[in-house]
Amino acid sequence: MLTYAPLFPVILLTLVALVAMLMSALVRDASRTGVFSAVGLLFVMALSLQQWGTQQGPANILGNAVTVDGYSYFFYVLFCLIGIVTVFIAMPHLEREQAQRGEFYTLMLFSLVGMFVMVSSDDLMTLFLGFETMSLAIYVLVGWRRHQLRSNEGVLKYFFLGSLAAAIFLYGIALIYGSAGTVNLQSVAALLTAPGSALGVNGVFTVGVLLVLVGVGFKIAAVPFHMWTPDVYEGAPAPVTAFMATAVKAAGFALGIRLIAFLFEHQQLHDIAHIILFYGAILTMFVGNFFALAQKNFKRMLAYSGIAHTGYLLVGMLALPEAGAGTAVLYYLVAYALTNLGALAVAAFISGREEKFDNLEDFSGMAWRYPLAGICMAVCMFSLIGFPLTAGFFGKYMLFAAAFKANLAPLVVIAIVNSILSVYYYLRVVVVMFVEPVAENAAAPETMPLATKAVLAYTVAAVVWSGVGTFNVTPFFPGLVPLRAKAEASMKALTAIPQARVSTGTVEGKSSAPLQANAPLIH
Amino acid sequence: MSFFLTLLIAFPLLAGLAVMVFSSPDDGDFPRWGALVAAVVNTCASLGLLSGALAGEHGWLLRSFEEKRAWVEAFGIHYWLRVDGFSTFLILLTTVATSVAVAASWNSVKSRAHIYFGSILVLSGAMIGVLASADLFLFYVFWEIMLLPALFLLGIFGGSLRRDALYKFVIYTMVGSLLMLVGVVFLGAQHLAARGTWDFGFDALYGLPLSPGAASWAFLAFVAAFAIKAALFPFHTWLPTAYSQAPMPVTFLLSAVMAKLGVYGLLRIAMPMFPDAAQTAAPYLAALAVAGVIYAAFAALAQDDAKLLVAYASVSHLGVILLGAFSFSQQAVVGTVFHLIGHAVTTGALFLLVGFMAERRGSTLISDWGGAARVMPVFATFFMLMMLAAVGLPGLSAFVGEFLILFGAFRDYAVLAALAATSIILGAAYMLWWYQRTMFGAVTQPEVARLKDLTLREGALLLPIMLAVIGLGVYPQPVVSAITPASVQYLARFGVEPDKSPTASPKNLEPLRHQSREHAHQEPVTSH
Amino acid sequence: MHPAFFYLLSFVAIAAALAMVTQRHPLPAAFALVLSFLGLAGVYALLVAPLMAILQILVYAGAIMALVVFVIMLLNVRDEDLPREPGMPWQLGAGFAVGGVFFAMMVDVLSKYNSSPVTVSELSRAYGTSATGEPLFGGIATVGQVLFLKYTFPFEVISVLLTVAVVGVVVLAKRRI
Amino acid sequence: MTSSYLVSLVPLFPLLGAILLGLIALFSVGSGEGPNRRLVGLIACLGPILSLVVATRLFLGLYDHPQGYVHTAFTWFSVGSLHVPAEFWADRLSGVMIMVVTFVGSLIHIYSVGYMGHERGFTRFFAYLNLFTFSMLVLVLGKNVPLMFLGWEGVGACSYLLIGYYFTESEKALAANKAFIVNRVGDFGFLLGLFTLFWYLGSKGVWTVDFATIRAHADLITPAMAGVIGMLLFVGAMGKSAQIPLHTWLADAMAGPTPVSALIHAATMVTAGVYMVARMAAVYGVAPAAGHFIAIVGMCTAILAATIAITQHNIKKVLAYSTVSQLGYMFAAVGAGAYAAGVFHLFTHAFFKALLFLGAGAVIHAMHHEEEMDRYGGLIRKLPFTGGVMLIACVAIAGLPPLAGFFSKDAILFAQWESGWYWLYAVGLFTSFLTAFYMFRMWFLTFTGRPRDAQLFSHAHEGPAVMNGPLLVLAAGTVTVGFLGLPEALGGSAFAHWLAPAVGEHAHLPADLSGGALAAAKVALHRSEWLFASFAVVAGGLGILFAWLKHGTHVLPVFGQASGLFGVFQNKWYFDHVYDALFVKPSIHLLGWGTRHVVDPFIIDGVVRGVPRLYGAFADTIRLLQTGAVRVYAYVLLVGMLALLSFVLTKWSF
Amino acid sequence: MIPTHHFLIVSAALFSIGLAGFIGRRNLFIIFMSVELMLNGVNLSFLAFARHLGDLGGHVFTFLVIALAAAEAAIGLAIVILIFKNAGAAAQSDALSVDQYQALKH
């Protein structure tokens, strides 16, 4: 029984999802399903935290189809956190939209199951299935306002482009399977580093890897695979946008980091990945920031801003061999998630029924009508800028520090230039909310629902608290504080895998000369 | 370990937040009184710093106030506060200026007073934090926090062109801040490379071996950040817009303290942490500073709005201060720090006066004034005093600093110092002309004839400033001698030895060439 | 089996696929796709994958495509609902250009995949043979074994995925939510 | 000597007076009548009079202590090698100066109580005047250059305040501005001179700003360097003492009340430049070239101002240009190294020029503030006393023996000749002729002939005793002080002897002579002194004669625009026009306008705004790429993928 | 014996035709079926590789993909129905054209 203990969080989450599914069919008051989901996620989070603390080293079970390590637990906790916050954003929102249905929470939970799977396996096929589970659930959520054309169009675009990306991803897996004979990343890593192995320079394998990267790039919205993001973010209901912008992106990066970590084991693949990521990061940052400036719709703007942040994260991924880079990326993901949740929670509240008022000009002067929303938005925007005493600052700081160490100074400079560009549009939101006169057409209710208040207060507190950087203090915010503390260890666990493989491999040492130049992932 | 500095920083910060949170938007009295009490209490508390500063030979640092705690251990970031001769008086200046700013805004803020007064307090706390930090990271954090309340004060309470001013202000300062972030990370990484650990403490970063090429870029990044704050030509255009659009008490605070922090940053970080790059680049930067001196003086000459005139005057004076900051003689360094205070007092006072003018006449356009000295003689007297102080009249606060800077800079850059010295002509020109057009002449406008003279509250605000103007001009030595040890320490980072003390004359007073014999070799009668 | 079967079946699959993408109305296209799938099923059989060949016919060509056809019929697509695609040859040409480039690259890469495959005898040795002498490789027993022993977790995941699909379809297709 | 603290007391009294009066003025605002004028007058006069008492005490003590008294009040500021104590030094040079300042100052204070008796802002006036006295005393007593600069700028500021005393009249306020700003140009040079001096001496190991120490180490300076330092310091003197080309402010400064003109713009402040050069005698001693330059500038100023003076109609303007001219003489003297002669002229000039101004003040007072001589005439009948004392002063300034001006001017002219600067001597002599001419022109126009404004004439009357008293004292001084500076032929100058410890003695005879040769040289010297004195007397006499012929005999002199060369004179050689066109207008309308309307908004902000605007425009353009069509998105995705693949497949061969 | 890469090339051809159909057509159904075609192409690859390697993993993957395709088909068709009913009511014609849905842009 205890052999399967590492699977308990996934199993528990699946159970919660199934119960929620039943509840949505049987319980009339759908908000109860929401509450149940939140409580369930809390339990899953608690379980994950507990196991994270006790489990020694990575666990490979079910014939290596499941690999649960600190890295997985990190994301379990993050996903649960995002899930809970999303529930609280969604409950009042759906209430107002008169679209309160248990299936919403059910699907969200199922997509979380998919994400859990995405971080609990080294098996590409399993990862892909997790990926698809997540995607299918999200497709439906994006189209939640089924009578609204905007929402329909969003889901249409997302579904078709997503299927295309999935097919490409799958083709990549097939090619990897054909060339390596396995789709297990650990085995692939072992083959790559095995002496005399030609896998790293195999064309089929390389193309397979590239196709898989295209699939991942699609989900994390890296340029040029980003085109869907603004349209889908705009079309989706705000809580779903929040969920996508945070959880889906984090899951995509979880996948990406795992892939990149093993790619970096081989010199030629490292070179290829390096060059792709280098230019991809630059392109992504610039495209994100240039397009974001011109946006009038808040969610669209956040979508482009998210693309820009993908660019920053790619810089971090590029620095991955450097100690601290992994931590930086994970921390950045948390910071980014908290920040976006806060910003979109505000948008979900202010935009009014059917989100008719989600243009920036509709937010005008809203800080004075809803001070908490104003503060939350300001804090989030400053966090996205990378302002000190916010989570975003430490994220950026750690990223840049790691990149500096990895001799990526040009990228850091470009990232800084982009940060300067981004100030424009982030600040415009704050200016609009605080400086401009109160908009007349605002349709939001006079009073703010309790759940929204709670979410806003939480995100403000969390963003500021993690920005203060007092990581060693007893966690006031479940799931947040230990993340940073343990992220480092988790990254070690992740990146240690290929090394462990090498050391237990059949032949000692690396024979091929180029491999020597390849720095180990963690010092 | 003393908590004094923490209290000095945290008290206004928390009081500011409390004012914002616990006050209803319609309530004006609570924020007003709350802010005033908090500011005055903090001012009184900050006087405690003088106990060390004026104690005489206290060495470089006031060790008794030092606080050091680990903050983010993984990155060697410390919560580390301390003060020395450079920062002590600037902290005092900050607390006093905060009190004055709060009192000066007493009636001018009509709505959202809680945000206004709360922001002023937060700004004050952040500025003290900047001045007291001994860790680069902490410094950066306070530096950025400082931006926020300034943004609010300008954006929400500014004049009709506040959006424009706000964007310019933000763009400039954010560009600077992010560049500084690169520099901060660079220095940390260099420490890591050289010593194997992360550390951001100032002491750890001074004298760090740096790779020359990258160091000069990082140096420029820091300089950009600080130069923008200190309005170095050609990065000055945010200043006139922001100063003229912000409420005058806020402008008072910005001009008196915030612009000074840019110079403080240069002296504390940019210059001493990159001594080689600094010495290479200093002549060029000094040339920019001097260009700013002259440029802004001419611009001031052409202004027809008093706010803009004083703003450009302030840019011009900041140019002089920057010239001092880019010089390496002891006189220039001490003069720079002294002038930060001396200039703060005069320019701040001028902005206050302009604020009073705006409140009375509803306009600061020079053409809307004329002959006011007849109508408001007390105001005119204060104004005259501050105006003369601003043109650097000896015996008033701005002279000593300006003199020391020009004096010291002359050693390193004779031509530049000479060019900068033209500001004493141009400064007199625009200031006097302004005064004459505003206060002198016959009263031709009925609105001017109806103006009221200074009220008791305004007089009470100006009185301490006036005393400071005269006191700093007549007896600057206590402040100068408190700054001096820090300046020696500072110069040592560039390998500059201070000049020898005035030589006991190597030979006795000799007779002049044609002097008659019976008067030769007679000592002057002295007693001290 | 004779290699000609492979080329014939491949030709059918590819030709039907081409027919599918060029049809104006979706219904003939769907039938073309079914034909293509059937051809593919034959190729599967050539690849010693009898179970997959059967599943291809049953599930894919049978169930899934039936669903598609059913939906097309259900929607009662009128002619004017169909997109007017006056520039279709051009669009499709552009599409084929992109696809062609991709195909060319893949051919370039895949043609180097020419190491010698596992022989039938090796397969037989590893997986055993049936009574008729055919290798058990790819049969329901061997595949099932692998599926349930080695790939239990993905199998469980796919069940979740199908549940998601069910819930999703319910949400999307219900008249009123 | 135990009484050296007295040195610091000298400036203290006027300072206390100024503070007290300032507070009284400030707190009496809006109280209607204002404070008691008698009390204010008493306080005002008390400051300079007490200073005079202390100064006299010190001055007498200097007889036994030629090196003077020093008192350090406190350290003003001290940074590294720069040590600037608030240290006051009364030596024989500054002793003379404090006597002049406090003596003339006291008289003028007393006079002003009468003259300003009916003015608004009476208290304010005396506060400024006291403050001025304080600043002037600091200027002369300061033992180091920065301290002198404190006084230097202080008197400038007080001068500004007093010129702008009638501030409701815009042109008077503008005159005040001009005075301050032109002075600032001089101060600019002065500061640079100080900096050069300090760092140059510092490079030789002597870090000092102290006059005594500078004097002791002046020989460390090379002549070229001393020349540079001397020139720069002299620029300061040019500003303060109204020498070409910075002389333009002084005539405008007559906008202030007449006692102010007497005290500041005749007797004391404007002579600060001469005093400063004398203080720096040791430095100039090393640089003869600088001295020559100063002498040339001085003489040029003298003749230029004199030519202007002969065309002026305003009585105070005539006196103002006369002052400029006389200051030129003084510089010519100190330039030639005859410091004693220069300072002596300063000393005598203080008496007779103060007398002239106060006399003019009495006339103006009598004529209801009418200053144009067009409306004077025949006033000797109404103002016999004033006319009389002014006649004494005019004779003195015209250089007729035995009044003060004769001796001092003679010494200056003789010094030019002795230095071998014959042209300068000739110019000086001619200027002496002009001086006599314009002074008597003024006197004749004012006091003789027929009254040109009958109404004003009928109301004219002598001033009160409080005004006439000082006139009398000054007249007495004008008659007597000249004997302190007799030429060698008449026994030598006691004044020069007195100053020798401070500025050195101007040797009239070669030092290496002895016995018979010495005696012969002495005889020759005395002979030439007699000769040149007679030249001067003749020139002065001719000037008076010309004035009598031109203005004394005419019943109604012609006033109006002069033409030709006199037109140039009347327009002050067009200096103001040139400065206006060359400096003032371009500063405001070209540089100022350009910075405000072109560089800032378009060039710098062009970048600051342009880059974001470009960014915005670019963003607004490229956002159109997001067409909303799924197929386009798919194309981008696939083309991106193909690009990726082809890049990898071509860069790395597989 | 047919070389494995012949199978692979057929698979690539099917995938490429799918791609071409995806971007070359506007009809939602045909685009949808193009995706199905691409998945089938991949399946062929899996099986070819499985045969080549003598590994049954490819068969399992194919099995999983077929299940996945079913799920995707269900969701996809539901979306198409939804769109057709909603937008078809709004737009008089071209309801099945993917180019009809371009409201979200720029």
Side-chain angles (χ1 to χ4, degrees), chain A residues 180-393:
Chain A
T182 175
V183 291
N184 189 295
L185 286 176
Q186 293 181 37
S187 314
V188 171
L191 282 169
L192 274 176
T193 51
S197 159
L199 185 60
V201 294
N202 184 312
V204 178
F205 181 76
T206 310
V207 171
V209 167
L210 291 179
L211 293 183
V212 168
L213 284 182
V214 169
V216 175
F218 176 84
K219 269 287 178 279
I220 61 173
V223 176
F225 316 120
H226 68 288
M227 300 287 275
W228 58 278
T229 334
D231 293 5
V232 175
Y233 278 25
E234 189 186 345
V240 180
T241 311
F243 190 67
M244 285 169 72
T246 55
V248 175
K249 184 162 270 184
F253 269 100
L255 198 55
I257 291 170
R258 267 194 201 267
L259 287 169
I260 292 292
F262 92 86
L263 279 189
F264 279 169
E265 280 301 286
H266 188 271
Q267 184 60 49
Q268 182 172 316
L269 288 173
H270 176 274
D271 292 347
I272 293 172
H274 192 277
I275 225 164
I276 294 171
L277 285 180
F278 191 90
Y279 292 106
I282 294 173
L283 202 60
T284 307
M285 286 189 277
F286 274 116
V287 165
N289 284 316
F290 272 116
F291 278 82
L293 181 72
Q295 298 310 317
K296 298 188 171 45
N297 183 290
F298 179 71
K299 283 194 290 181
R300 267 185 104 72
M301 192 209 85
L302 267 194
Y304 283 114
S305 121
I307 292 169
H309 283 276
T310 298
Y312 304 139
L313 280 161
L314 288 180
V315 175
M317 276 172 75
L318 200 50
L320 218 47
E322 204 55 57
T327 317
V329 171
L330 295 196
Y331 182 79
Y332 199 97
L333 280 174
V334 179
Y336 177 75
L338 286 170
T339 308
N340 262 357
L341 284 174
L344 282 160
V346 174
F349 170 70
I350 287 184
S351 302
R353 194 162 151 71
E354 296 198 347
E355 298 186 44
K356 278 181 185 136
F357 302 105
D358 62 351
N359 280 337
L360 213 46
E361 64 203 33
D362 300 319
F363 290 15
S364 162
M366 281 300 158
W368 302 108
R369 198 191 273 193
Y370 312 107
L372 186 58
I375 290 167
C376 182
M377 188 64 103
V379 166
C380 291
M381 289 300 126
F382 280 113
S383 176
L384 286 171
I385 290 173
F387 203 82
L389 290 203
T390 59
F393 170 69

Side-chain angles (χ1 to χ4, degrees), chain C residues 94-115:
Chain C
F96 274 113
V98 171
V101 172
F102 181 74
F103 180 63
M105 280 187 216
M106 292 315 292
V107 169
D108 178 45
V109 170
L110 291 173
S111 55
K112 291 175 189 137
Y113 193 86
N114 48 15
S115 60

Side-chain angles (χ1 to χ4, degrees), chain B residues 79-345:
Chain B
Y79 177 77
W80 189 359
L81 302 175
R82 70 179 176 202
V83 288
D84 68 352
F86 282 2
S87 46
T88 303
F89 292 98
L90 288 171
I91 291 179
L92 273 174
L93 175 74
T94 311
T95 57
V96 174
T98 310
S99 300
V100 173
V102 168
S105 333
W106 205 252
N107 292 328
S108 57
V109 183
K110 305 285 184 233
S111 63
R112 294 168 184 167
H114 61 308
I115 301 287
Y116 182 90
F117 287 105
S119 297
I120 284 191
L121 288 179
V122 172
L123 180 62
S124 164
M127 292 193 296
I128 298 172
V130 166
L131 289 166
S133 299
D135 182 285
L136 185 56
F137 207 90
L138 189 65
F139 178 94
Y140 182 74
V141 167
F142 278 123
W143 182 267
E144 293 297 295
I145 296 176
M146 195 170 72
L147 179 61
L148 283 177
L151 218 90
F152 271 88
L153 289 169
L154 180 57
I156 298 170
F157 302 95
S160 53
L161 300 173
R162 63 179 189 271
R163 278 191 61 177
D164 183 50
L166 185 68
Y167 269 111
K168 261 209 247 179
F169 178 67
V170 166
I171 295 310
Y172 265 114
T173 43
M174 285 306 289
V175 167
S177 301
L178 288 167
L179 286 176
M180 176 154 48
L181 181 59
V182 182
V184 171
V185 177
F186 171 82
L187 276 178
Q190 289 281 312
H191 189 276
L192 183 69
R195 311 254 162 87
T197 52
W198 290 97
D199 202 334
F200 287 97
F202 284 167
D203 290 347
L205 298 177
Y206 290 137
L208 201 64
L210 303 167
S211 51
S216 42
W217 287 108
F219 171 72
L220 288 181
F222 274 112
V223 166
F226 296 132
I228 286 172
K229 215 47 143 204
L232 175 70
F233 178 84
F235 307 119
H236 66 282
T237 57
W238 66 271
L239 190 142
T241 355
Y243 279 17
S244 61
Q245 288 306 311
M248 279 301 119
V250 174
T251 304
F252 164 77
L253 203 54
L254 296 184
S255 69
V257 188
M258 196 146 134
K260 307 295 181 293
L261 295 184
V263 181
Y264 175 79
L266 282 174
L267 290 181
R268 180 64 84 208
I269 292 164
M271 305 287 286
M273 285 184 190
F274 304 89
D276 295 332
Q279 274 167 319
T280 314
Y284 306 103
L285 294 168
L288 277 186
V290 172
V293 171
I294 297 167
Y295 176 90
F298 279 115
L301 210 50
Q303 298 304 322
D304 43 25
D305 187 335
K307 288 175 182 174
L308 287 168
L309 191 148
V310 182
Y312 274 105
S314 159
V315 173
S316 180
H317 289 146
L318 282 167
V320 174
I321 297 179
L322 285 165
L323 171 67
F326 295 130
S327 304
F328 301 99
S329 68
Q330 203 185 353
Q331 287 82 12
V333 173
V334 173
T336 303
V337 179
F338 188 88
H339 204 26
L340 291 181
I341 305 156
H343 172 251
V345 178

Side-chain angles (χ1 to χ4, degrees), chain C residues 20-61:
Chain C
M20 185 274 283
V21 295
T22 48
Q23 286 303 313
R24 180 164 186 271
H25 202 280
L27 210 52
F31 290 128
L33 191 60
V34 171
L35 185 60
S36 175
F37 287 171
L38 290 176
L40 267 179
V43 178
Y44 291 176
L46 289 177
L47 282 168
V48 204
L51 177 62
M52 290 308 125
I54 290 165
L55 281 179
Q56 175 80 355
I57 294 168
L58 281 182
V59 180
Y60 232 128

